[in-house]
Amino acid sequence: MKIKKEKSYSLIAPGHTACVGCGMIVALTMAVNTLGDKTIVCGATGCSEVTTTKYPASVFRVPYIHSLFENPAPVATGVLAMLKRKKQDDVNVVVHGGDGFFFDIGLALNSGAWTRGDNILYICYDNEAYMNTGAQSSGSTPIGSYTMTTPATSFSTGNLLHKKDLPAIALAHGLPYVATATVGDLSDFREKVKKAAAIKGPRYIQVYSTCAPGWNVEACNAIKVAKLAQETGLYPVFEYVNGRLSSVMKVPNETPRVERFLELQGRFRHLGNNEEGKKIIKRMQKQADENIERFGLR
Ligand SMILES: Cc1ncc(C[n+]2csc(CCOP(=O)(O)OP(=O)(O)O)c2C)c(N)n1
Ligand SMILES: [Mg+2]
């Protein structure tokens, strides 16, 4: 893979079709450019695929392999076998995709690859629903959120299910590196990608990625919302190395209440309308406070 580099050269070419205010495309671009041209990406179905590989073009200036939704991890295992045969051990093999892939549809086959200990970096662009198909709820959708399958009506308050703790599931597989990040702090995400790239074995990074249309957020607030997710404690940002919590991003001393985060997003707007919704806001605040306690975010 010989690529001519100019000063401002990006391994993600212009021409993607992601929305204005898309967190995923920013994180994806940052990740691939941080990893460099010796990278092979095995991508899942979803916005990270559909917006980047509009037939017959691709924005990836590194090899990119798309397969059936469930399959990127076993495909990556095959890529590793090919690299081994070619005696090439300097290539980053990446599996990436959305939360629908990581939390639900790809979980079984990712679990298999995690158990085998395959040397793969996994990056989840967590926008908390199946966004490419129009915002249906996934195992990552937070409580209270409006989605197409968890609507808010006069008798319902959006999603009532708990967001899966996927970093904990990854840790239960004994992964040597598990981290969360948000598009509200891209330099933190970049450092985590760099750090993960230097570690052998399965590594998992989950990056909280605003979806402007899916969350009903103004594009100009996309980064602010991601920052508030971290600052309220609702989306704890941490890093585990060899199973131990090794660093966290602290919340500010004047920790914002969850309402500040919720009010910028149409997906939560209904919660203020009735008593049930208000109870959910209280639960979210409790969850944020518990995260602050659990991860020592003060
Ligand atoms: C097995 C399978 N189930 C469902 C679909 C339809 N589908 C295509 S993209 C998509 C949404 C993907 O959601 P996610 O993984 O969260 O990525 P996002 O688009 O939100 O970035 C779905 C459900 C599919 N292509 N294959
Ligand atoms: Mg998603």
Short mmCIF file of all heavy atoms in Angstrom, two decimals, residues 148-204:
data_model
loop_
_atom_site.label_atom_id
_atom_site.label_comp_id
_atom_site.label_asym_id
_atom_site.label_seq_id
_atom_site.Cartn_x
_atom_site.Cartn_y
_atom_site.Cartn_z
N MET A 148 -38.13 5.23 16.71
CA MET A 148 -39.30 4.80 15.92
C MET A 148 -40.00 3.60 16.56
O MET A 148 -41.19 3.42 16.38
CB MET A 148 -38.86 4.41 14.50
CG MET A 148 -38.29 5.55 13.70
SD MET A 148 -39.46 6.89 13.49
CE MET A 148 -40.35 6.28 12.09
N THR A 149 -39.24 2.76 17.27
CA THR A 149 -39.85 1.58 17.89
C THR A 149 -40.16 1.79 19.37
O THR A 149 -40.70 0.89 20.01
CB THR A 149 -38.93 0.35 17.72
OG1 THR A 149 -37.60 0.74 18.07
CG2 THR A 149 -38.94 -0.18 16.30
N THR A 150 -39.76 2.94 19.91
CA THR A 150 -40.12 3.27 21.30
C THR A 150 -40.68 4.70 21.30
O THR A 150 -40.07 5.62 21.83
CB THR A 150 -38.90 3.18 22.25
OG1 THR A 150 -37.87 4.08 21.75
CG2 THR A 150 -38.35 1.80 22.35
N PRO A 151 -41.81 4.88 20.66
CA PRO A 151 -42.32 6.25 20.50
C PRO A 151 -42.80 6.85 21.82
O PRO A 151 -43.07 6.12 22.78
CB PRO A 151 -43.49 6.06 19.54
CG PRO A 151 -43.91 4.64 19.69
CD PRO A 151 -42.69 3.87 20.09
N ALA A 152 -42.85 8.15 21.84
CA ALA A 152 -43.40 8.84 23.01
C ALA A 152 -44.80 9.29 22.62
O ALA A 152 -44.98 10.02 21.65
CB ALA A 152 -42.54 10.03 23.34
N THR A 153 -45.79 8.81 23.36
CA THR A 153 -47.18 9.20 23.08
C THR A 153 -47.79 9.67 24.40
O THR A 153 -47.08 9.76 25.41
CB THR A 153 -47.98 7.99 22.56
OG1 THR A 153 -48.03 7.02 23.62
CG2 THR A 153 -47.35 7.36 21.35
N SER A 154 -49.08 9.91 24.38
CA SER A 154 -49.70 10.37 25.64
C SER A 154 -49.65 9.27 26.70
O SER A 154 -49.79 9.52 27.88
CB SER A 154 -51.13 10.81 25.37
OG SER A 154 -51.78 9.79 24.67
N PHE A 155 -49.47 8.00 26.26
CA PHE A 155 -49.42 6.92 27.26
C PHE A 155 -48.09 6.17 27.28
O PHE A 155 -47.98 5.12 27.86
CB PHE A 155 -50.59 5.93 27.03
CG PHE A 155 -50.69 5.43 25.62
CD1 PHE A 155 -49.95 4.33 25.23
CD2 PHE A 155 -51.49 6.07 24.70
CE1 PHE A 155 -50.03 3.87 23.92
CE2 PHE A 155 -51.59 5.61 23.40
CZ PHE A 155 -50.85 4.52 23.00
N SER A 156 -47.06 6.70 26.60
CA SER A 156 -45.75 6.04 26.69
C SER A 156 -44.65 7.09 26.71
O SER A 156 -44.83 8.21 26.23
CB SER A 156 -45.54 5.07 25.53
OG SER A 156 -45.49 5.78 24.31
N THR A 157 -43.52 6.72 27.29
CA THR A 157 -42.47 7.70 27.55
C THR A 157 -41.18 7.36 26.82
O THR A 157 -40.09 7.66 27.29
CB THR A 157 -42.16 7.75 29.07
OG1 THR A 157 -42.08 6.42 29.53
CG2 THR A 157 -43.20 8.52 29.83
N GLY A 158 -41.26 6.70 25.68
CA GLY A 158 -40.03 6.32 24.98
C GLY A 158 -39.48 5.03 25.53
O GLY A 158 -40.20 4.25 26.18
N ASN A 159 -38.21 4.79 25.30
CA ASN A 159 -37.60 3.51 25.66
C ASN A 159 -37.62 3.26 27.17
O ASN A 159 -37.23 4.12 27.95
CB ASN A 159 -36.14 3.49 25.16
CG ASN A 159 -35.46 2.17 25.44
OD1 ASN A 159 -36.05 1.10 25.26
ND2 ASN A 159 -34.22 2.23 25.90
N LEU A 160 -38.05 2.05 27.54
CA LEU A 160 -38.09 1.72 28.97
C LEU A 160 -37.01 0.72 29.35
O LEU A 160 -36.92 0.29 30.49
CB LEU A 160 -39.47 1.15 29.33
CG LEU A 160 -40.59 2.19 29.31
CD1 LEU A 160 -41.95 1.55 29.52
CD2 LEU A 160 -40.34 3.27 30.36
N LEU A 161 -36.20 0.33 28.36
CA LEU A 161 -35.19 -0.70 28.64
C LEU A 161 -33.85 -0.06 28.98
O LEU A 161 -33.54 1.05 28.58
CB LEU A 161 -35.05 -1.63 27.43
CG LEU A 161 -36.35 -2.30 26.96
CD1 LEU A 161 -36.07 -3.19 25.75
CD2 LEU A 161 -36.97 -3.12 28.08
N HIS A 162 -33.06 -0.82 29.68
CA HIS A 162 -31.76 -0.42 30.18
C HIS A 162 -30.74 -0.48 29.04
O HIS A 162 -30.77 -1.42 28.25
CB HIS A 162 -31.45 -1.44 31.27
CG HIS A 162 -30.15 -1.30 31.93
ND1 HIS A 162 -29.89 -0.28 32.80
CD2 HIS A 162 -29.02 -2.06 31.85
CE1 HIS A 162 -28.65 -0.43 33.24
NE2 HIS A 162 -28.11 -1.49 32.68
N LYS A 163 -29.85 0.50 28.96
CA LYS A 163 -28.76 0.43 27.96
C LYS A 163 -27.77 -0.66 28.40
O LYS A 163 -27.30 -0.65 29.54
CB LYS A 163 -28.06 1.78 27.90
CG LYS A 163 -26.88 1.85 26.92
CD LYS A 163 -26.24 3.25 26.95
CE LYS A 163 -24.95 3.27 26.16
NZ LYS A 163 -25.08 3.88 24.84
N LYS A 164 -27.45 -1.58 27.50
CA LYS A 164 -26.49 -2.65 27.85
C LYS A 164 -25.15 -2.05 28.21
O LYS A 164 -24.73 -1.06 27.60
CB LYS A 164 -26.23 -3.54 26.63
CG LYS A 164 -27.15 -4.69 26.46
CD LYS A 164 -26.71 -5.52 25.24
CE LYS A 164 -27.92 -6.11 24.56
NZ LYS A 164 -27.60 -6.81 23.31
N ASP A 165 -24.46 -2.69 29.15
CA ASP A 165 -23.12 -2.23 29.53
C ASP A 165 -22.10 -3.03 28.69
O ASP A 165 -21.54 -4.02 29.15
CB ASP A 165 -22.92 -2.46 31.03
CG ASP A 165 -21.64 -1.82 31.53
OD1 ASP A 165 -20.80 -1.40 30.69
OD2 ASP A 165 -21.46 -1.77 32.76
N LEU A 166 -21.89 -2.59 27.45
CA LEU A 166 -21.02 -3.37 26.56
C LEU A 166 -19.54 -3.34 26.98
O LEU A 166 -18.86 -4.36 26.87
CB LEU A 166 -21.20 -2.95 25.10
CG LEU A 166 -20.64 -3.97 24.11
CD1 LEU A 166 -21.27 -5.34 24.25
CD2 LEU A 166 -20.77 -3.48 22.68
N PRO A 167 -19.04 -2.19 27.48
CA PRO A 167 -17.64 -2.24 27.97
C PRO A 167 -17.46 -3.33 29.04
O PRO A 167 -16.44 -4.02 29.06
CB PRO A 167 -17.42 -0.84 28.53
CG PRO A 167 -18.34 0.03 27.72
CD PRO A 167 -19.56 -0.81 27.48
N ALA A 168 -18.48 -3.49 29.91
CA ALA A 168 -18.37 -4.54 30.95
C ALA A 168 -18.37 -5.93 30.31
O ALA A 168 -17.66 -6.84 30.76
CB ALA A 168 -19.51 -4.41 31.95
N ILE A 169 -19.16 -6.09 29.26
CA ILE A 169 -19.19 -7.39 28.55
C ILE A 169 -17.82 -7.65 27.90
O ILE A 169 -17.30 -8.76 27.93
CB ILE A 169 -20.34 -7.41 27.51
CG1 ILE A 169 -21.69 -7.33 28.23
CG2 ILE A 169 -20.27 -8.67 26.63
CD1 ILE A 169 -22.90 -7.15 27.30
N ALA A 170 -17.25 -6.59 27.32
CA ALA A 170 -15.91 -6.73 26.70
C ALA A 170 -14.89 -7.10 27.78
O ALA A 170 -14.07 -8.00 27.59
CB ALA A 170 -15.52 -5.43 26.00
N LEU A 171 -14.98 -6.43 28.92
CA LEU A 171 -14.04 -6.72 30.02
C LEU A 171 -14.19 -8.15 30.52
O LEU A 171 -13.20 -8.80 30.88
CB LEU A 171 -14.26 -5.74 31.18
CG LEU A 171 -13.68 -4.35 30.96
CD1 LEU A 171 -14.22 -3.37 32.00
CD2 LEU A 171 -12.15 -4.39 31.00
N ALA A 172 -15.42 -8.65 30.50
CA ALA A 172 -15.66 -10.03 30.96
C ALA A 172 -14.98 -11.05 30.04
O ALA A 172 -14.78 -12.20 30.43
CB ALA A 172 -17.16 -10.29 31.05
N HIS A 173 -14.61 -10.61 28.82
CA HIS A 173 -13.88 -11.50 27.90
C HIS A 173 -12.37 -11.42 28.14
O HIS A 173 -11.59 -12.07 27.42
CB HIS A 173 -14.14 -11.11 26.44
CG HIS A 173 -15.50 -11.49 25.93
ND1 HIS A 173 -16.65 -10.84 26.31
CD2 HIS A 173 -15.90 -12.46 25.06
CE1 HIS A 173 -17.69 -11.39 25.69
NE2 HIS A 173 -17.26 -12.37 24.94
N GLY A 174 -11.96 -10.59 29.10
CA GLY A 174 -10.52 -10.48 29.40
C GLY A 174 -9.76 -9.64 28.39
O GLY A 174 -8.55 -9.84 28.20
N LEU A 175 -10.42 -8.69 27.74
CA LEU A 175 -9.71 -7.86 26.75
C LEU A 175 -8.64 -7.00 27.43
O LEU A 175 -8.88 -6.45 28.49
CB LEU A 175 -10.72 -6.93 26.03
CG LEU A 175 -11.26 -7.43 24.70
CD1 LEU A 175 -11.91 -8.78 24.82
CD2 LEU A 175 -12.24 -6.43 24.10
N PRO A 176 -7.47 -6.88 26.80
CA PRO A 176 -6.40 -6.10 27.43
C PRO A 176 -6.64 -4.58 27.38
O PRO A 176 -6.00 -3.83 28.10
CB PRO A 176 -5.17 -6.46 26.60
CG PRO A 176 -5.70 -6.91 25.28
CD PRO A 176 -7.03 -7.54 25.57
N TYR A 177 -7.54 -4.15 26.51
CA TYR A 177 -7.79 -2.70 26.43
C TYR A 177 -9.27 -2.45 26.13
O TYR A 177 -9.79 -2.93 25.11
CB TYR A 177 -6.93 -2.06 25.33
CG TYR A 177 -7.00 -0.54 25.34
CD1 TYR A 177 -6.23 0.20 26.22
CD2 TYR A 177 -7.87 0.13 24.50
CE1 TYR A 177 -6.32 1.59 26.27
CE2 TYR A 177 -7.97 1.52 24.53
CZ TYR A 177 -7.18 2.23 25.41
OH TYR A 177 -7.27 3.61 25.45
N VAL A 178 -9.93 -1.70 27.00
CA VAL A 178 -11.33 -1.33 26.82
C VAL A 178 -11.45 0.13 27.21
O VAL A 178 -11.03 0.53 28.30
CB VAL A 178 -12.27 -2.19 27.70
CG1 VAL A 178 -13.71 -1.69 27.61
CG2 VAL A 178 -12.21 -3.66 27.30
N ALA A 179 -12.00 0.95 26.32
CA ALA A 179 -12.10 2.37 26.64
C ALA A 179 -13.38 2.96 26.06
O ALA A 179 -13.93 2.45 25.07
CB ALA A 179 -10.89 3.12 26.09
N THR A 180 -13.82 4.04 26.68
CA THR A 180 -14.91 4.83 26.11
C THR A 180 -14.37 6.23 25.81
O THR A 180 -13.37 6.66 26.39
CB THR A 180 -16.12 4.95 27.06
OG1 THR A 180 -15.66 5.52 28.29
CG2 THR A 180 -16.76 3.60 27.33
N ALA A 181 -15.04 6.91 24.91
CA ALA A 181 -14.66 8.28 24.54
C ALA A 181 -15.92 8.94 24.00
O ALA A 181 -16.96 8.28 23.85
CB ALA A 181 -13.57 8.23 23.46
N THR A 182 -15.83 10.23 23.71
CA THR A 182 -16.95 10.90 23.05
C THR A 182 -16.41 11.82 21.97
O THR A 182 -15.24 12.23 22.03
CB THR A 182 -17.81 11.78 24.02
OG1 THR A 182 -17.16 13.04 24.19
CG2 THR A 182 -18.04 11.13 25.37
N VAL A 183 -17.26 12.16 21.02
CA VAL A 183 -16.81 13.11 20.00
C VAL A 183 -16.73 14.52 20.56
O VAL A 183 -16.32 15.44 19.88
CB VAL A 183 -17.68 13.07 18.71
CG1 VAL A 183 -17.54 11.74 18.00
CG2 VAL A 183 -19.13 13.40 19.00
N GLY A 184 -17.09 14.67 21.84
CA GLY A 184 -16.92 15.96 22.52
C GLY A 184 -15.46 16.22 22.87
O GLY A 184 -15.10 17.35 23.20
N ASP A 185 -14.62 15.21 22.82
CA ASP A 185 -13.18 15.40 23.10
C ASP A 185 -12.40 14.47 22.16
O ASP A 185 -12.05 13.35 22.51
CB ASP A 185 -12.87 15.09 24.56
CG ASP A 185 -11.43 15.50 24.92
OD1 ASP A 185 -10.57 15.58 24.01
OD2 ASP A 185 -11.18 15.76 26.12
N LEU A 186 -12.14 14.98 20.97
CA LEU A 186 -11.52 14.14 19.94
C LEU A 186 -10.06 13.85 20.22
O LEU A 186 -9.53 12.83 19.80
CB LEU A 186 -11.69 14.79 18.56
CG LEU A 186 -13.10 14.66 18.00
CD1 LEU A 186 -13.31 15.60 16.84
CD2 LEU A 186 -13.39 13.22 17.58
N SER A 187 -9.39 14.77 20.95
CA SER A 187 -7.98 14.47 21.21
C SER A 187 -7.88 13.30 22.18
O SER A 187 -6.98 12.46 22.07
CB SER A 187 -7.19 15.69 21.67
OG SER A 187 -7.85 16.30 22.71
N ASP A 188 -8.83 13.21 23.11
CA ASP A 188 -8.86 12.04 24.02
C ASP A 188 -9.10 10.76 23.20
O ASP A 188 -8.42 9.75 23.41
CB ASP A 188 -9.97 12.25 25.06
CG ASP A 188 -10.20 11.01 25.91
OD1 ASP A 188 -9.32 10.70 26.72
OD2 ASP A 188 -11.26 10.36 25.75
N PHE A 189 -10.03 10.83 22.26
CA PHE A 189 -10.31 9.66 21.42
C PHE A 189 -9.06 9.27 20.62
O PHE A 189 -8.69 8.10 20.56
CB PHE A 189 -11.49 9.97 20.47
CG PHE A 189 -11.80 8.88 19.48
CD1 PHE A 189 -12.11 7.60 19.88
CD2 PHE A 189 -11.77 9.14 18.11
CE1 PHE A 189 -12.39 6.58 18.96
CE2 PHE A 189 -12.05 8.15 17.18
CZ PHE A 189 -12.35 6.86 17.61
N ARG A 190 -8.40 10.27 20.04
CA ARG A 190 -7.19 9.99 19.23
C ARG A 190 -6.12 9.30 20.08
O ARG A 190 -5.50 8.32 19.66
CB ARG A 190 -6.63 11.29 18.64
CG ARG A 190 -5.42 11.05 17.74
CD ARG A 190 -4.84 12.36 17.23
NE ARG A 190 -4.58 13.25 18.34
CZ ARG A 190 -4.70 14.57 18.28
NH1 ARG A 190 -5.07 15.18 17.20
NH2 ARG A 190 -4.44 15.31 19.35
N GLU A 191 -5.93 9.81 21.32
CA GLU A 191 -4.91 9.20 22.20
C GLU A 191 -5.28 7.75 22.51
O GLU A 191 -4.41 6.88 22.59
CB GLU A 191 -4.77 10.00 23.50
CG GLU A 191 -4.10 11.36 23.33
CD GLU A 191 -2.86 11.31 22.42
OE1 GLU A 191 -1.93 10.54 22.74
OE2 GLU A 191 -2.82 12.03 21.40
N LYS A 192 -6.57 7.48 22.66
CA LYS A 192 -7.00 6.11 22.97
C LYS A 192 -6.78 5.20 21.77
O LYS A 192 -6.38 4.05 21.93
CB LYS A 192 -8.46 6.12 23.44
CG LYS A 192 -8.53 6.64 24.88
CD LYS A 192 -9.91 6.88 25.39
CE LYS A 192 -9.81 7.24 26.89
NZ LYS A 192 -10.98 7.92 27.39
N VAL A 193 -7.03 5.72 20.57
CA VAL A 193 -6.78 4.91 19.36
C VAL A 193 -5.29 4.58 19.27
O VAL A 193 -4.90 3.44 19.00
CB VAL A 193 -7.29 5.64 18.09
CG1 VAL A 193 -6.85 4.90 16.82
CG2 VAL A 193 -8.82 5.77 18.12
N LYS A 194 -4.46 5.61 19.51
CA LYS A 194 -2.99 5.40 19.46
C LYS A 194 -2.57 4.34 20.47
O LYS A 194 -1.79 3.44 20.16
CB LYS A 194 -2.28 6.71 19.85
CG LYS A 194 -1.84 7.55 18.69
CD LYS A 194 -0.91 8.64 19.20
CE LYS A 194 -1.05 9.88 18.35
NZ LYS A 194 -0.52 11.07 18.98
N LYS A 195 -3.08 4.50 21.69
CA LYS A 195 -2.71 3.58 22.75
C LYS A 195 -3.16 2.15 22.42
O LYS A 195 -2.38 1.19 22.56
CB LYS A 195 -3.37 4.04 24.06
CG LYS A 195 -2.74 3.46 25.28
CD LYS A 195 -3.10 4.32 26.45
CE LYS A 195 -2.61 3.70 27.72
NZ LYS A 195 -2.98 4.52 28.89
N ALA A 196 -4.39 2.04 21.94
CA ALA A 196 -4.92 0.72 21.60
C ALA A 196 -4.10 0.09 20.47
O ALA A 196 -3.85 -1.13 20.47
CB ALA A 196 -6.39 0.84 21.18
N ALA A 197 -3.66 0.92 19.52
CA ALA A 197 -2.92 0.39 18.37
C ALA A 197 -1.59 -0.24 18.81
O ALA A 197 -1.08 -1.14 18.14
CB ALA A 197 -2.65 1.50 17.36
N ALA A 198 -1.08 0.20 19.93
CA ALA A 198 0.22 -0.31 20.39
C ALA A 198 0.08 -1.58 21.24
O ALA A 198 1.08 -2.17 21.65
CB ALA A 198 0.92 0.79 21.20
N ILE A 199 -1.15 -1.99 21.51
CA ILE A 199 -1.38 -3.18 22.35
C ILE A 199 -1.79 -4.35 21.46
O ILE A 199 -2.49 -4.17 20.47
CB ILE A 199 -2.49 -2.87 23.39
CG1 ILE A 199 -1.99 -1.79 24.37
CG2 ILE A 199 -2.93 -4.11 24.14
CD1 ILE A 199 -3.05 -1.27 25.32
N LYS A 200 -1.33 -5.54 21.81
CA LYS A 200 -1.70 -6.74 21.02
C LYS A 200 -2.94 -7.39 21.63
O LYS A 200 -3.15 -7.33 22.83
CB LYS A 200 -0.55 -7.77 21.06
CG LYS A 200 0.64 -7.40 20.20
CD LYS A 200 0.64 -8.23 18.90
CE LYS A 200 1.78 -7.90 17.96
NZ LYS A 200 1.72 -6.54 17.40
N GLY A 201 -3.73 -8.01 20.77
CA GLY A 201 -4.93 -8.70 21.25
C GLY A 201 -6.18 -7.92 20.88
O GLY A 201 -6.11 -6.91 20.20
N PRO A 202 -7.33 -8.40 21.35
CA PRO A 202 -8.57 -7.68 21.04
C PRO A 202 -8.70 -6.42 21.90
O PRO A 202 -8.54 -6.50 23.12
CB PRO A 202 -9.67 -8.69 21.38
CG PRO A 202 -9.02 -9.78 22.16
CD PRO A 202 -7.54 -9.64 22.09
N ARG A 203 -8.98 -5.32 21.27
CA ARG A 203 -9.11 -4.05 22.00
C ARG A 203 -10.43 -3.40 21.58
O ARG A 203 -10.77 -3.43 20.40
CB ARG A 203 -7.95 -3.10 21.63
CG ARG A 203 -6.60 -3.61 22.04
CD ARG A 203 -5.57 -3.40 20.95
NE ARG A 203 -5.65 -4.35 19.88
CZ ARG A 203 -5.20 -4.13 18.64
NH1 ARG A 203 -4.62 -3.01 18.32
NH2 ARG A 203 -5.34 -5.07 17.70
N TYR A 204 -11.14 -2.82 22.55
CA TYR A 204 -12.48 -2.26 22.25
C TYR A 204 -12.55 -0.80 22.66
O TYR A 204 -12.27 -0.46 23.82
CB TYR A 204 -13.53 -3.07 23.00
CG TYR A 204 -14.94 -2.55 22.84
CD1 TYR A 204 -15.57 -2.58 21.58
CD2 TYR A 204 -15.65 -2.02 23.90
CE1 TYR A 204 -16.86 -2.09 21.43
CE2 TYR A 204 -16.94 -1.54 23.76
CZ TYR A 204 -17.54 -1.58 22.51
OH TYR A 204 -18.82 -1.10 22.35
#
